[in-house]
Amino acid sequence: MDTERTTQDRQAKLAAYDALRESRPDMFVNPPGAAYEILLDRADQNRAYESMAQRLTARGLPAHYADIGVVHDDLYLTLVRDAVRFRTGDLGTYIRVVPRGDADGAAVLPVLADGRIVLLRQFRHASRTWHWEIPRGFGDPGERGAETARRELFEELGVPVSELVHLGPLHSDSGLVAGTDQLYLARLAGTGIASDPGPGPHAEGIDAYRAVSPAELRDLLADRRITDAYTLAAYALATARGLLTG
């Protein structure tokens, strides 16, 4: 019975994988010279599974760590384990996170009319600590990056935007995450921010706002008090383009 359930579970993971390939073919492209070739033939996938399972069991690890397909799926992301051929010719598996849907996430560097940059003090579950960072969020279905950026600013800051500048795309973790997020600089239509985030942002883990000059932001970076990748990347792109002064 356990073997039957295991077989059914693996078949379900592969069926979900095939459905994902059909809906998101861009996520399964093998470009010329790819260092890790995704194997789409079922016989090749089975050989890759067997090869990886043998290596895992030799290390005292469960063979199901080599299961191929959609190994987890929820409201926010899909965890996929592909069968791959490495440059050495060896077969194995490689895991990655595929965002739900085809809408990019967005992060926004908010700049007040006086040139100060607004940071949020937000608690993050994954790191189990507080971070000074910029607004960001997942894209809703059918939403473009700029729309996501404006929505996140409204939800987290409640400040109107006078101009939105696209800074560029970001691969937040190119070794694990398959999707692309979009970075923006938003020029806000005022010089002040609320003293308290309010119930909406507070429920999202935001407990304070802080407006800092570009020089003060550089000091925070130099002191290693900002570690959020989106904030670091947005600052780097805005600085490289000469969009921050002071």
Side-chain angles (χ1 to χ4, degrees):
M1 183 64 69
D2 288 342
T3 301
E4 181 180 346
R5 280 199 297 267
T6 299
T7 300
Q8 291 175 346
D9 179 60
R10 287 179 181 155
Q11 289 175 342
K13 290 173 181 174
L14 285 169
Y17 185 81
D18 291 340
L20 181 62
R21 282 177 48 206
E22 184 174 348
S23 64
R24 297 294 306 276
D26 57 303
M27 290 290 173
F28 298 87
V29 172
N30 283 316
Y36 316 108
E37 177 193 357
I38 296 177
L39 303 175
L40 303 178
D41 177 78
R42 191 68 87 226
D44 288 339
Q45 291 174 337
N46 289 335
R47 284 191 288 270
Y49 164 78
E50 293 294 341
S51 177
M52 193 66 183
Q54 290 175 10
R55 296 202 292 273
L56 288 167
T57 54
R59 297 173 57 186
L61 298 171
H64 70 78
Y65 284 6
D67 281 355
I68 298 160
V70 174
V71 296
H72 174 78
D73 194 26
D74 65 27
L75 181 63
Y76 299 103
L77 58 85
T78 301
L79 193 59
V80 171
R81 189 177 292 116
D82 300 288
V84 300
R85 178 180 290 109
F86 299 97
R87 277 182 164 171
T88 60
D90 295 328
L91 302 184
T93 63
Y94 213 136
I95 200 162
R96 57 184 172 142
V97 175
V98 176
R100 295 281 295 183
D102 58 359
D104 292 342
V108 194
L109 188 72
V111 181
L112 295 168
D114 60 9
R116 290 182 300 159
I117 298 149
V118 181
L119 300 174
L120 318 177
R121 186 174 186 266
Q122 184 159 8
F123 186 82
R124 290 296 181 181
H125 171 69
S127 63
R128 305 305 301 160
T129 192
W130 297 92
H131 296 269
W132 283 109
E133 59 183 58
I134 60 177
R136 77 170 188 263
F138 292 103
D140 286 341
E143 194 173 53
R144 295 182 180 274
E147 295 169 332
T148 302
R150 290 181 182 274
R151 175 175 54 78
E152 289 296 329
L153 275 173
F154 179 77
E155 291 175 357
E156 298 186 0
L157 281 180
V159 179
V161 177
S162 60
E163 181 185 13
L164 193 65
V165 181
H166 184 222
L167 296 175
L170 172 70
H171 291 96
S172 60
D173 184 346
S174 58
L176 180 63
V177 180
T180 303
D181 295 317
Q182 302 299 324
L183 300 180
Y184 295 86
L185 180 146
R187 300 201 182 278
L188 307 180
T191 58
I193 52 175
S195 58
D196 182 85
H202 187 75
E204 296 294 323
I206 299 168
D207 76 342
Y209 300 138
R210 181 177 181 181
V212 298
S213 69
E216 290 171 325
L217 180 54
R218 287 194 296 272
D219 289 341
L220 290 171
L221 296 173
D223 289 341
R224 299 182 293 278
R225 295 180 59 188
I226 294 178
T227 58
D228 171 61
Y230 292 88
T231 306
L232 294 170
Y235 172 79
L237 286 168
T239 300
R241 293 178 56 181
L243 297 175
L244 301 178
T245 58

